[in-house]
Amino acid sequence: MKVSLLQLDVIFGNPDENYHKVRKYIEKAAQENPDVIVLPEMWNTGYSLENLAEIADEDGKKTKALLSDLAKKLTVNIVGGSVAIKKEGNFYNSSYVFNRTGSLISEYQKVHLFGLMNEDKFISAGATKNQFELDDIKAAGVICYDIRFPEWERKLMSEGQQILFVSAQWPTKRIAQWETLLRARAIENQAFVVAVNRVGEAPKDSFNGHSLVINPLGEILVEGTPGVEGIFTCEFDLDDLSKIRGDIPVFKDRRPELY
């Protein structure tokens, strides 16, 4: 599988500029013929939470129209990071996944809300799993703070999922933890991890990217240049999973009756 990570600078509180940027970067990434293009978290608004009533995407309509059109036109799968949406009087941090025909195949609202960025004061938490198939490959997706809950990833990855996609706005001051947590999620779930983090400045935080593709042994296959907006592409062989999972059968050896 060949993946392109869009490590973008999200313009705080400016959806129009962000939608324009995402269209441009997806079209540029498609020139490398990836199987999947992956976006960061909250790319339409940033964490401009106080202004969500004015700038959040109504039921995700604009986001879904844009990503569906690009996926179909470019014949590429898109893991759409996440965007701020408003739906039935609530706001959500929502992720959409589209296949090569432009069909929406998964929708997910972030389950674990991050209090340090006041997310829990403005956003409603989701309550469903994010599992899907891209080109017949089982995968799952989470958003940022979700990766601090390994029991959540284990639940998502326990049905044969081979890739975990992660979209984030993870601050520079905790970037070492970002890498450590992602490598642990790859090793313990014997899966590839494809993680995209934003770059740039926001009123209360700084972000330096460090997007990663990690193999099931915890080895880094590609790393987004810290502080640099850009497209980072990596190709990996999913056949490697069968040998790794056969050597150490962590899913088979689980004791779910105890935990």
Side-chain angles (χ1 to χ4, degrees):
M1 174 169 279
K2 187 176 183 180
V3 296
S4 288
L5 286 58
L6 272 54
Q7 182 170 285
L8 303 180
D9 185 353
V10 177
I11 304 167
F12 187 82
N14 194 331
D16 289 342
E17 287 297 319
N18 288 320
Y19 281 107
H20 175 74
K21 174 181 284 193
V22 162
R23 175 180 286 277
K24 180 182 70 173
Y25 267 90
I26 288 176
E27 290 175 337
K28 184 177 180 181
Q31 295 174 13
E32 299 184 35
N33 296 314
D35 298 300
V36 188
I37 294 173
V38 191
L39 295 166
E41 180 188 18
M42 291 282 275
W43 57 258
N44 66 333
T45 63
Y47 268 79
S48 182
L49 301 178
E50 295 85 353
N51 300 309
L52 289 181
E54 292 75 38
I55 63 177
D57 188 10
E58 185 72 46
D59 197 23
K61 291 177 182 176
K62 185 172 183 177
T63 303
K64 288 185 279 190
L66 174 68
L67 298 184
S68 175
D69 174 67
L70 289 170
K72 183 177 181 179
K73 182 177 73 174
L74 302 170
T75 321
V76 66
N77 300 293
I78 297 177
V79 175
S82 77
V83 292
I85 71 164
K86 48 187 171 183
K87 184 176 182 179
E88 299 175 352
N90 294 312
F91 301 108
Y92 297 95
N93 184 340
S94 294
S95 175
Y96 302 110
V97 180
F98 293 86
N99 65 16
R100 295 178 187 271
T101 68
S103 298
L104 177 64
I105 60 172
S106 185
E107 179 177 343
Y108 170 69
Q109 282 77 45
K110 187 176 182 181
V111 167
H112 301 97
L113 303 178
F114 192 50
L116 283 181
M117 293 175 75
N118 292 322
E119 192 173 28
D120 56 333
K121 293 182 172 62
F122 296 90
I123 300 284
S124 297
T128 59
K129 295 187 291 184
N130 189 22
Q131 297 169 316
F132 47 90
E133 290 189 16
L134 299 175
D135 299 339
D136 297 322
I137 297 165
K138 286 188 172 185
V142 296
I143 302 172
C144 203
Y145 189 42
D146 283 335
I147 67 170
R148 288 188 181 271
F149 300 87
E151 63 273 29
W152 182 232
E153 277 75 25
R154 178 50 58 89
K155 186 176 183 68
L156 291 171
M157 303 301 288
S158 63
E159 299 173 22
Q161 281 67 26
Q162 297 177 290
I163 306 171
L164 177 67
F165 290 96
V166 182
S167 298
Q169 290 208 27
W170 197 282
T172 304
K173 58 190 173 186
R174 289 186 291 276
I175 205 66
Q177 296 174 27
W178 159 259
E179 179 180 324
T180 299
L181 289 166
L182 290 171
R183 293 177 77 172
R185 300 296 84 84
I187 294 167
E188 68 199 9
N189 291 297
Q190 297 178 328
F192 288 94
V193 169
V194 178
V196 180
N197 190 34
R198 67 160 292 188
V199 295
E201 302 296 321
K204 296 180 181 180
D205 285 292
S206 176
F207 306 89
N208 74 339
H210 196 54
S211 300
L212 298 165
V213 176
I214 303 169
N215 73 12
L217 297 175
E219 299 165 341
I220 294 173
L221 304 181
V222 73
E223 175 183 342
T225 306
V228 176
E229 183 176 65
I231 300 165
F232 300 89
T233 298
C234 176
E235 191 166 8
F236 50 85
D237 190 349
L238 288 157
D239 289 340
D240 293 344
L241 279 174
S242 58
K243 181 179 184 303
I244 293 168
R245 290 182 171 180
D247 287 346
I248 308 175
V250 294
F251 290 99
K252 176 180 176 293
D253 291 343
R254 291 173 68 214
R255 295 288 305 279
E257 73 277 11
L258 298 179
Y259 51 79

